[in-house]
Amino acid sequence: MQDYVVQLLEWIDAESAAQARQLEQRRRDAGGGNAERTGETLLDMVVRESRPGLAGATLATLIKRNREIGLPSNRFRVGTPVTVTSNAAEVEIARGIVTARNRRSLQIALPFIPEGARLRVDVQPDEVTRKRQTEVLTHLKDSTGRFARLRDVLLNDRIPKFHPQSYESGILNLSQARAVEMALSAEDLAVIHGPPGTGKTTTVVALIKAAIEKGQKILATAPSNTAVDNLLVKLVACGVKVVRLGHPARVDRRLIQHTLDAQVSRDETMEIVKDMRREAEQFFRKAGKYTRSQPPRGAKQEMYKEGKRLQQDARLLEKTLVDWVLDRADVVCGTNSLNTQMLTDRRFDMAVVDEACQCTEPACWVPLQFADKLVLAGDHCQLPPTVISQQAARAGFATSMLERVVDKFGELVTTRLETQYRMHEQIMAFSSNRFYEGILVADSTNAKHLLSELDGVVENSLTQSPVEFIDTAGADWDEESEAGSESRCNSSEAELVVKKVSQLVQANVPAEEIAVISPYAGQARLIRSMCDVDGLEVDTVDGFQGREKEAVIISCVRSNRSGEIGFLGDTRRMNVALTRARRKLIVIGDSATLGNHAFYGELLEYFSEIDAYGSVWTELE
């Protein structure tokens, strides 16, 4: 056990160092005025407007100083930690969190309004998460009670125990109900394996609700704010008392009222806390104010002392209010990197980690330390955790806790969901056979659905077939290296993508229900720049994990004479891409390049079997 913990700590350090090197290398490669090329820097920004935010923050909207131009392609996302500096990056002005973004502006939660005619915004690594993971692992060997029992089950040879409990639900299907029953029966550990479209989050929420009905308190986490918010929406709809931890800036605006900050601020007691803090500030200002007359001896010290006393009393009163809000909640939810000081010695009957395959193992230990048992939900046949350090990834850091537990205990702790409610059966079949032993069954509501059945959509060959592969072999559409990055792109393939998007829109398929996915960020950026369609989403595979659209176009990019597919060799990534579409899947790729890999050879055969194989020459006629 101790050797493995030491290994995890080494991997955490290696990943932190790799992230810092990557960020520094990108900025160095871009150099001077080309700093924006990395996507992690925005130059010549100014504050357009500002307004008060929660928790004392200021929401500042920054735009380009030249208001005629929008923001360049960038890596800023809601929740990204950033620094604001002078344009030359000489002096740090403030640190904040991105709260909203669009093509022309970036909204950031900051401690105050930054001043300056030319501002620079940079992405910053999240070191807080690393520190919390390191802290829990460092003290793992000294744990006691239930935490020690869970540690031994997960890291030593103790076998998980179960106390059978019955569960009946008229809402869930058979495999979903079986998963809830196993999780309720588990004394230590259970896994809900949810292949694409099988209602994993619905099952997780049903489990949480069933546990609450038994009087239990639940800690629910996920690796990303988006995943937490998706879970929160369904929990709120069920009517459970839930508190969302985390900076309000990282929470969907529609869910702000459920955050800890918002629930605390609504209590009348907070007015007393604010009054005490204002009074404390008055004492500090008065003590620091210069006067001509000599104040009585010790008067300034008394003012400082009284100000500090008021500050301390305000903190204690606020902490009491925070504890009261948390005590009333049935569910506390947040990301895996939740604020451990906020929970202190609080215990939960169960910790549920959703999308558990998308986070490294140390991330799961953070919420686990507060719970008596653990339920992991996810799909290890989809995207693994993102790990920058290739050395750590190869050594095992890219293996999630869920994947390791499934390998170790198998069916003893795992229930796999089997009915999928998203895809047409022809979109589903290849992934079902290749990754899930062919057990997935499309529900009758979606097994045969097509784009042409949507209101207003034109009936034609494009909308009346579920799957289409367009083979670019022989067209000499060779891939290229994206300028200024290590990513790949394919401009000819991108032009065909734009054409297919146009055809779908012309058939009255809503742009909001169309997605373009590519394994390469460079291709996603190129297509975005070429296709200005409001509502259309263009992103990498990673950006679409857990998402779905009515129509999805996949741009494979790779086309070369040596048959190299690079990034595409991660078949789990392609499993994600192939399973995002509900009614229409279009794959564009070079069979001569892709076919050299066994997985893609099987995929091409499948396309032929279902009569979905087409040539690019037909598109060029």
Side-chain angles (χ1 to χ4, degrees):
M1 179 194 73
Q2 190 57 30
D3 289 344
Y4 187 62
V5 170
V6 170
Q7 184 69 80
L8 287 174
L9 290 169
E10 290 176 354
W11 288 339
I12 291 173
D13 289 341
E15 179 68 0
S16 178
Q19 289 175 348
R21 285 196 302 271
Q22 183 189 67
L23 197 59
E24 181 58 33
Q25 185 63 46
R26 282 174 177 163
R27 290 172 181 170
R28 189 163 51 245
D29 289 345
N34 294 321
E36 288 186 328
R37 200 168 63 189
T38 66
E40 291 163 339
T41 296
L42 292 172
L43 300 173
D44 285 330
M45 303 291 284
V46 295
V47 178
R48 183 184 67 190
E49 60 185 19
S50 64
R51 60 184 177 85
L54 291 175
T58 294
L59 299 179
T61 299
L62 279 70
I63 59 173
K64 282 289 189 177
R65 189 161 58 99
N66 179 354
R67 294 171 182 253
E68 299 300 317
I69 61 176
L71 303 183
S73 177
N74 60 77
R75 300 172 187 268
F76 292 86
R77 297 290 183 271
V78 173
T80 300
V82 299
T83 57
V84 178
T85 64
S86 61
N87 208 53
E90 296 169 347
V91 180
E92 180 177 312
I93 298 174
R95 294 189 176 222
I97 301 292
V98 175
T99 57
R101 64 184 290 270
N102 57 39
R103 293 183 178 184
R104 304 193 67 83
S105 67
L106 201 67
Q107 185 186 75
I108 308 174
L110 294 162
F112 50 82
I113 302 174
E115 296 180 359
R118 301 175 66 195
L119 299 173
R120 169 178 174 143
V121 184
D122 287 285
V123 171
Q124 287 298 305
D126 186 359
E127 285 299 303
V128 173
T129 295
R130 182 184 68 83
K131 290 177 181 178
R132 288 172 181 167
Q133 293 175 1
T134 299
E135 184 177 296
V136 65
L137 289 172
T138 301
H139 297 100
L140 198 57
K141 67 178 185 299
D142 301 321
S143 58
T144 58
R146 284 298 303 159
F147 189 34
R149 163 77 188 183
L150 290 174
R151 175 201 65 194
D152 291 343
V153 168
L154 289 164
L155 297 180
N156 290 332
D157 296 324
R158 298 191 73 166
I159 302 299
K161 291 183 179 181
F162 291 83
H163 298 293
Q165 296 188 34
S166 61
Y167 173 77
E168 295 183 6
S169 171
I171 300 175
L172 303 183
N173 64 45
L174 184 60
S175 61
Q176 290 173 332
R178 196 164 57 239
V180 173
E181 186 173 286
M182 173 176 273
L184 290 174
S185 301
E187 181 180 309
D188 308 298
L189 172 68
V191 173
I192 299 175
H193 179 195
T198 54
K200 171 182 57 62
T201 302
T202 297
T203 307
V204 167
V205 170
L207 165 63
I208 291 173
K209 189 174 181 182
I212 291 171
E213 290 172 355
K214 294 179 179 293
Q216 297 181 10
K217 295 280 188 178
I218 313 300
L219 177 61
T221 67
S224 70
N225 284 287
T226 299
V228 176
D229 288 344
N230 289 340
L231 188 59
L232 178 59
V233 167
K234 294 193 174 184
L235 288 170
V236 170
C238 285
V240 302
K241 295 177 181 177
V242 59
V243 174
R244 168 70 153 95
L245 299 183
H247 197 298
R250 289 176 163 150
V251 179
D252 188 305
R253 292 181 183 180
R254 296 166 295 181
L255 302 171
I256 289 292
Q257 61 181 313
H258 303 290
T259 63
L260 177 63
D261 293 78
Q263 293 190 45
V264 168
S265 65
R266 287 198 298 267
D267 193 279
E268 295 178 357
T269 308
M270 274 306 294
E271 292 302 318
I272 300 174
V273 173
K274 292 176 183 178
D275 288 341
M276 294 170 71
R277 285 176 174 158
R278 279 193 290 266
E279 192 175 349
E281 285 298 319
Q282 290 175 359
F283 274 111
F284 291 141
R285 282 198 298 270
K286 191 173 181 180
K289 190 176 181 181
Y290 174 80
T291 58
R292 292 185 178 182
S293 58
Q294 182 69 25
R297 178 175 295 180
K300 286 192 174 184
Q301 288 82 353
E302 284 299 318
M303 291 178 192
Y304 276 120
K305 185 177 180 180
E306 184 62 18
K308 289 180 179 178
R309 184 190 66 78
L310 283 167
Q311 275 189 335
Q312 184 177 11
D313 289 347
R315 280 195 297 268
L316 289 173
L317 186 56
E318 186 176 38
K319 178 64 167 61
T320 300
L321 186 52
V322 165
D323 288 341
W324 180 74
V325 171
L326 292 175
D327 287 342
R328 291 177 61 224
D330 296 319
V331 185
V332 174
C333 63
T335 61
N336 294 333
S337 58
L338 47 83
N339 188 338
T340 54
Q341 292 182 341
M342 189 74 68
L343 298 179
T344 57
D345 297 326
R346 194 173 298 276
R347 298 297 301 173
F348 296 86
D349 298 285
M350 178 170 66
V352 179
V353 181
D354 197 11
E355 303 293 357
C357 289
Q358 293 183 47
C359 55
T360 59
E361 177 151 344
C364 290
W365 284 102
V366 178
L368 176 55
Q369 65 186 303
F370 299 102
D372 291 344
K373 78 174 181 182
L374 173 66
V375 176
L376 299 169
D379 179 13
H380 51 286
C381 298
Q382 295 188 60
L383 286 179
T386 299
V387 176
I388 305 300
S389 170
Q390 292 305 301
Q391 181 180 359
R394 287 192 296 269
F397 198 41
T399 300
S400 65
M401 179 185 283
L402 186 151
E403 185 175 1
R404 187 174 64 78
V405 163
V406 170
D407 287 341
K408 183 176 183 179
F409 296 116
E411 293 183 359
L412 176 63
V413 300
T414 307
T415 305
R416 183 160 56 188
L417 308 182
E418 298 175 353
T419 303
Q420 73 85 15
Y421 300 90
R422 175 188 300 162
M423 298 165 274
H424 186 286
E425 60 187 5
Q426 287 190 350
I427 298 175
M428 171 200 76
F430 179 78
S431 288
S432 176
N433 293 329
R434 187 63 172 72
F435 293 96
Y436 308 107
E437 293 80 50
I439 59 92
L440 296 187
V441 178
D443 187 70
S444 60
T445 59
N446 55 276
K448 303 289 185 181
H449 65 186
L450 298 167
L451 285 178
S452 58
E453 296 169 6
L454 294 173
D455 290 342
V457 172
V458 176
E459 293 184 5
N460 57 32
S461 59
L462 183 65
T463 63
Q464 290 181 303
S465 63
V467 181
E468 184 178 341
F469 174 70
I470 304 175
D471 189 358
T472 66
D476 294 327
W477 286 7
D478 291 347
E479 66 193 67
E480 312 118 28
S481 296
E482 185 190 31
S485 82
E486 298 177 358
S487 192
R488 314 291 292 180
C489 57
N490 189 316
S491 56
S492 298
E493 198 169 284
E495 290 176 5
L496 180 55
V497 168
V498 174
K499 178 181 177 180
K500 301 310 288 187
V501 169
S502 178
Q503 290 176 353
L504 288 167
V505 172
Q506 288 172 8
N508 293 333
V509 178
E512 295 79 10
E513 286 298 340
I514 305 172
V516 176
I517 303 176
S518 177
Y520 289 89
Q523 184 75 344
R525 287 190 283 268
L526 175 61
I527 294 171
R528 232 180 267 127
S529 68
M530 295 170 61
C531 193
D532 188 16
V533 176
D534 288 341
L536 173 72
E537 284 195 66
V538 183
D539 211 336
T540 60
V541 179
D542 301 59
F544 268 93
Q545 173 95 344
R547 306 276 310 287
E548 58 186 64
K549 293 283 186 177
E550 296 291 358
V552 170
I553 303 172
I554 301 174
S555 175
C556 294
V557 178
R558 300 311 295 259
S559 179
N560 54 73
R561 289 168 177 77
S562 58
E564 295 179 6
I565 64 170
F567 208 35
L568 294 179
D570 184 351
T571 57
R572 289 186 292 183
R573 179 166 270 102
M574 185 53 65
N575 183 34
V576 173
L578 291 171
T579 55
R580 299 307 96 195
R582 298 189 193 109
R583 300 168 188 260
K584 181 70 177 187
L585 172 66
I586 301 174
V587 181
I588 303 174
D590 181 351
S591 65
T593 300
L594 299 176
N596 291 311
H597 190 284
F599 172 86
Y600 292 97
E602 293 175 17
L603 180 60
L604 294 173
E605 285 183 16
Y606 175 71
F607 288 146
S608 294
E609 289 172 7
I610 62 172
D611 197 26
Y613 197 99
S615 170
V616 70
W617 301 110
T618 303
E619 296 292 331
L620 298 178
E621 289 177 355

